[in-house]
Amino acid sequence: MIIVMQARATEADVEYVSRRIEELGLTPHVSRGTERILIGVIGDERLVNRDQLTLLPHVEEVIPILKPYKLASREFQPADSIVSVAGVPIGGNEVVVIAGPCSVEDEEQIVTAAIAVKAAGARLLRGGAYKPRTSPYVFQGLGEEGLKLLARAREKTGLGIVTEVMESSEVDVVAEYADLLQVGARNMQNTKLLRSLSKIDKPVLLKRGPAATLNEFLMSAEYLLSGGNHRVILCERGIRTFVEYTRNTLDLNVVPAVKQLSHLPIIVDPSHGTGRHDLVVPMSRAAIAAGADGLLVEVHPAPEKALSDGEQSLKPAAFADLMREVRCIAPAVGRSVASPAATASGRESARTV
Ligand code: PEP
Ligand code: MN
């Protein structure tokens, strides 16, 4: 970082700030301009609480040079990370579509959904067993029973399963069944949950918080990476909005922005991003065109009977139409889409974790 001293700072002030920098384990480098004295700080500035320097006498400004995240950054790892989920590579050349109902409701519902999404070309099955609902009076998910039903659907279709974990005490049970553990938007900054997930040997799908900045999003990923779990996939699912016609505003800007700043894969959830089934297909097209590594789409065999998020769920036939479009759009932006029977493949220059 660079410390800009106020115009009236004396040599004694510069000396004082320099000594403080040394006490913090860093090295000061003073440059005297015609109007201002600047002190360059050499060392890992991420380890320093910036306020401890900002509040020193006659300091005008402290300008960070490094991003607050390190392991998540492209500077740290220039090659794309490819995260393998039940043998499906996410973050490579292939665009991967994950689909299934918002919640697991019963065996018939989840198995029917799994068969339908697989036939259309989905590579992984989604379904919530632990549900973070806004109202305490509505369906809260089947819990472990839901996980068992997901495992049943996996047995029948061979699709790996993606499901949410809401608290640290449930990480072990969810990890026993899931191939990819989802951190919901509401929990993006639940640092204890992130720490627990950083210790498991399963990949994590980290959804962006409803009002999280890109820095905050990547700092949450940093919790997972710094704790030792390098299998992290990001998911944009819409941010808090003032518009009244959608549930959230799907922030597709974040897709290319993440690609510049980070090596982590990023997928897009157009279901929560819009809250409307009629907008899911157009926003899916846009997400792939913007460079997303995949989609997370809610599909329900009978959305009118769904216990959660029916209004944003596609029927199986509409999902099959979407997959046909995905197979046209992905090649136009240099990406592939596996046919339902295809096996895993990877990009050579990338790092599979
Ligand atoms: C979900 O995927 O069903 C869900 C609850 O998503 P989010 O955390 O993005 O609201
Ligand atoms: Mn949902």
Side-chain angles (χ1 to χ4, degrees):
M1 59 184 85
I2 293 170
I3 298 176
V4 183
M5 300 299 291
Q6 290 173 353
R8 64 197 167 114
T10 63
E11 281 301 325
D13 295 325
V14 173
E15 181 54 31
Y16 184 76
V17 172
S18 298
R19 251 184 294 126
R20 191 70 193 104
I21 291 168
E22 283 166 354
E23 280 166 17
L24 292 168
L26 302 162
T27 308
H29 183 274
V30 179
S31 359
R32 292 176 173 78
T34 48
E35 298 196 20
R36 285 285 197 286
I37 295 178
L38 305 181
I39 309 177
V41 180
I42 297 154
D44 193 345
E45 64 186 49
R46 296 181 192 92
L47 306 178
V48 175
N49 175 356
R50 191 143 63 101
D51 295 347
Q52 292 187 334
L53 295 170
T54 314
L55 295 174
L56 293 178
H58 298 136
V59 166
E60 186 166 283
E61 208 183 343
V62 176
I63 305 167
I65 303 292
L66 298 176
K67 299 278 187 297
Y69 45 87
K70 181 175 183 172
L71 304 178
S73 73
R74 256 237 195 254
E75 283 160 23
F76 181 79
Q77 186 189 306
D80 290 342
S81 279
I82 299 180
V83 179
S84 174
V85 180
V88 177
I90 302 185
N93 188 257
E94 180 187 339
V95 168
V96 171
V97 179
I98 305 170
C102 177
S103 300
V104 181
E105 298 168 3
D106 55 53
E107 181 166 343
E108 195 193 334
Q109 174 247 17
I110 192 66
V111 171
T112 307
I115 292 169
V117 300
K118 182 178 181 183
R123 300 276 272 143
L124 297 164
L125 173 68
R126 66 147 290 151
Y130 297 88
K131 293 303 302 176
R133 304 302 304 280
T134 301
S135 167
Y137 304 118
V138 297
F139 181 61
Q140 302 287 305
L142 297 178
E144 190 171 355
E145 178 56 23
L147 298 176
K148 290 185 175 150
L149 297 179
L150 281 166
R152 189 102 188 85
R154 175 174 50 201
E155 267 168 41
K156 295 222 165 176
T157 58
L159 290 178
I161 55 185
V162 184
T163 196
E164 178 161 355
V165 57
M166 286 169 57
E167 41 179 294
S168 297
S169 63
E170 288 160 355
V171 166
D172 287 346
V173 69
V174 177
E176 214 180 289
Y177 295 90
D179 296 292
L180 174 61
L181 283 81
Q182 174 173 323
V183 175
R186 294 160 180 82
N187 266 324
M188 188 203 82
Q189 286 186 311
N190 180 340
T191 54
K192 283 202 168 153
L193 179 61
L194 297 175
R195 283 257 185 251
S196 307
L197 290 167
S198 76
K199 301 296 171 208
I200 64 166
D201 189 21
K202 286 271 169 86
V204 175
L205 179 65
L206 178 65
K207 288 190 138 194
R208 181 183 181 183
T213 64
L214 177 48
N215 255 338
E216 288 163 347
F217 193 14
L218 292 173
M219 287 306 278
S220 290
E222 193 79 7
Y223 264 91
L224 296 163
L225 299 167
S226 64
N229 192 342
H230 296 276
R231 298 160 75 191
V232 178
I233 300 163
L234 304 172
C235 179
E236 161 61 28
R237 47 74 73 198
I239 49 175
R240 177 59 83 203
T241 185
F242 60 85
V243 304
E244 73 301 346
Y245 64 96
T246 54
R247 181 174 179 179
N248 291 294
T249 285
L250 187 63
D251 179 20
L252 290 182
N253 298 336
V254 89
V255 172
V258 160
K259 291 284 170 199
Q260 286 169 21
L261 297 171
S262 178
H263 52 87
L264 296 173
I266 178 162
I267 67 168
V268 168
D269 171 350
S271 307
H272 294 85
T274 62
R276 290 175 47 166
H277 64 89
D278 57 336
L279 299 187
V280 167
V281 172
M283 296 315 288
S284 298
R285 295 177 190 135
I288 293 167
D293 295 302
L295 299 172
L296 180 71
V297 184
E298 287 185 339
V299 178
H300 194 290
E304 68 285 0
K305 293 188 188 155
L307 298 182
S308 62
D309 287 350
E311 70 283 14
Q312 64 191 37
S313 298
L314 296 184
K315 292 181 182 166
F319 177 68
D321 288 344
L322 167 62
M323 287 307 300
R324 276 189 280 278
E325 295 200 22
V326 167
R327 282 192 278 273
C328 293
I329 296 166
V333 291
R335 307 292 291 263
S336 61
V337 186
S339 64
T343 51
S345 65
R347 209 191 268 171
E348 264 173 32
S349 61
R351 178 166 171 256
T352 301
V353 289

